[in-house]
Amino acid sequence: MWGMIGTWRMSLEGITKASLQLNQGISSADAVEIAIKKVEDFPFFKSVGYGGLPNELMEVELDAAFMDGDNFDIGAVGGITDFANPIAIARSLSQYPVNNFLTGVGAERYASQMGFERKTMLTERAKIHYHNRLFDDKQQELKPYIGHDTVGVVGLDQAGKLVAGTSSSGLFMKKKGRLGDSPIIGSGLYADSEIGAATATGLGEDLMKGVISYEIVRLMESGLSPQAACETAVNKTMQKLTPKRQKVGDLSVVAMDKSGNWGAATNIDNFSIVVATSNLSPTVFLVNKINGGHCQIEPASAEWLDEYMKSRTAPLERKGNLNEFN
Ligand code: ASP
């Protein structure tokens, strides 16, 4: 038995590639890195790696984390700029007993000493998105921070090892130095090969309040299925936060247990996920907003899948006067 589950449709190509190799016996640590790298390298996914959307200073600051559920090795980078594959750097940091989570210049220094590939991660397309956001903000008081998504992947290999990984450019227009949940062990991801693993995407500031990935694994340990654990964790976080804070941000999660059973839950419409197991070829599902404590999960239609890629790769026009924000 082997399996992979990932957040968002953007993980499809990576999971497809990695799951072929999982089937041939590679470790889930390699599979998670392969899957996430593929997302980081694709320029049209605007919330991860190359082509990721920048912070308010038009810098692409990237977060990533890696956790091995066999031995609890953890590694993470926060706010790293101009390295091609933050997930590989995070994984590399997981080999040490200490100094596992490096941020900013410290992370860049480490990555450069270790010979990781440098790359200018700000694309022309991301610059247009940035300028257009400034233009829209001027026109109609648009709130910053709309537009984000993290790739989170859980992998289970034939030896029973569970691994979780994340990679994200975080919130569009975030403050320089802002970290979300994605590189935070327990919030953005958690893995325990004796139980299961989980990963999250959405508004990091609220996901962290529920330490949601750890909570899902803890619920699985208490006997809940991955689906029930995901729904319970999202429900509980909503119930805790709503009376205290009125508005709760996006919370979307996926999980897999040590037997390859999987689950997902969300408080938004149409959270897309990708699942591949020894019994299921890579499939995109849409998870619907939690209702009465439960989420409906259905395979995405051919039209939805077609529209997804079309909208991601459609030509992008710069709004307003070309010199206005230079
Ligand atoms: N959770 C990420 C963050 O807050 C963003 C996302 O997954 O949408 O940085």
Side-chain angles (χ1 to χ4, degrees):
M1 175 73 202
W2 56 264
M4 292 193 95
I5 186 165
T7 58
W8 306 111
R9 151 65 186 85
M10 64 178 155
S11 60
L12 177 62
E13 289 77 11
I15 286 187
T16 302
K17 180 177 175 192
S19 61
L20 283 171
Q21 296 182 46
L22 257 187
N23 191 38
Q24 287 162 1
I26 66 163
S27 74
S28 49
D30 288 340
V32 165
E33 182 177 338
I34 289 167
I36 293 181
K37 270 184 170 168
K38 187 102 181 145
V39 187
E40 290 177 335
D41 290 342
F42 188 66
F44 290 99
F45 295 144
K46 56 187 171 40
S47 53
V48 175
Y50 184 58
L53 292 176
N55 66 15
E56 62 176 8
L57 303 180
M58 211 171 76
E59 302 161 345
V60 181
E61 289 184 311
L62 300 168
D63 303 333
F66 176 93
M67 181 166 186
D68 182 320
D70 272 5
N71 49 26
F72 292 168
D73 282 350
I74 52 169
V77 289
I80 192 168
T81 53
D82 289 338
F83 279 91
N85 295 114
I87 186 62
I89 305 166
R91 181 181 177 189
S92 156
L93 284 165
S94 75
Q95 66 187 297
Y96 309 109
V98 291
N99 298 308
N100 301 122
F101 187 1
L102 300 182
T103 60
V105 287
E108 286 151 22
R109 185 161 187 267
Y110 171 79
S112 143
Q113 281 170 345
M114 297 300 285
F116 284 99
E117 184 192 344
R118 275 201 168 276
K119 184 168 172 180
T120 301
M121 299 300 269
L122 182 67
T123 60
E124 288 307 311
R125 194 175 170 90
K127 280 188 202 166
I128 298 176
H129 279 295
Y130 177 85
H131 287 292
N132 288 353
R133 175 56 59 86
L134 291 183
F135 180 82
D136 288 343
D137 278 352
K138 266 189 129 186
Q139 302 293 305
Q140 46 176 303
E141 293 283 303
L142 256 190
K143 276 201 275 143
Y145 311 137
I146 303 166
H148 50 84
D149 287 342
T150 297
V151 63
V153 175
V154 165
L156 168 70
D157 63 26
Q158 295 180 29
K161 181 206 279 285
L162 275 160
V163 166
T166 57
S167 184
S168 184
S169 51
L171 299 186
F172 185 19
M173 291 289 180
K174 64 190 177 184
K175 294 273 177 227
K176 183 175 174 65
R178 179 262 182 195
L179 293 177
D181 60 307
S182 307
I184 310 286
I185 303 300
S187 289
L189 70 169
Y190 198 81
D192 182 338
S193 300
E194 290 174 7
I195 306 165
T199 181
T201 175
L203 185 67
E205 283 74 358
D206 282 354
L207 291 161
M208 284 191 266
K209 294 180 177 88
V211 198
I212 203 156
S213 294
Y214 179 74
E215 177 64 7
I216 293 167
V217 174
R218 199 190 62 78
L219 288 164
M220 289 193 281
E221 185 176 26
S222 76
L224 266 58
S225 67
Q227 184 58 30
C230 287
E231 287 171 348
T232 304
V234 169
N235 256 326
K236 192 174 140 198
T237 309
M238 294 281 291
Q239 279 163 10
K240 277 268 182 197
L241 298 188
T242 308
K244 300 187 206 300
R245 313 184 62 85
Q246 287 80 49
K247 196 169 158 22
V248 182
D250 296 359
L251 312 170
S252 300
V253 296
V254 297
M256 184 167 275
D257 70 12
K258 63 177 182 183
S259 309
N261 303 306
W262 56 273
T266 184
N267 64 350
I268 63 165
D269 287 323
N270 282 341
F271 166 45
S272 56
I273 63 168
V274 178
V275 185
T277 69
S278 17
N279 306 318
L280 175 73
S281 56
T283 306
V284 178
F285 292 92
L286 296 180
V287 186
N288 272 319
K289 196 191 273 186
I290 208 152
N291 187 355
H294 300 291
C295 289
Q296 296 288 338
I297 303 182
E298 284 169 7
S301 65
E303 295 75 46
W304 188 93
L305 290 168
D306 196 38
E307 177 51 34
Y308 175 92
M309 255 318 175
K310 273 199 193 130
S311 65
R312 291 305 177 287
T313 54
L316 189 64
E317 298 268 308
R318 183 168 156 150
K319 298 177 185 173
N321 178 341
L322 270 184
N323 300 316
E324 203 170 350
F325 299 111
N326 283 330

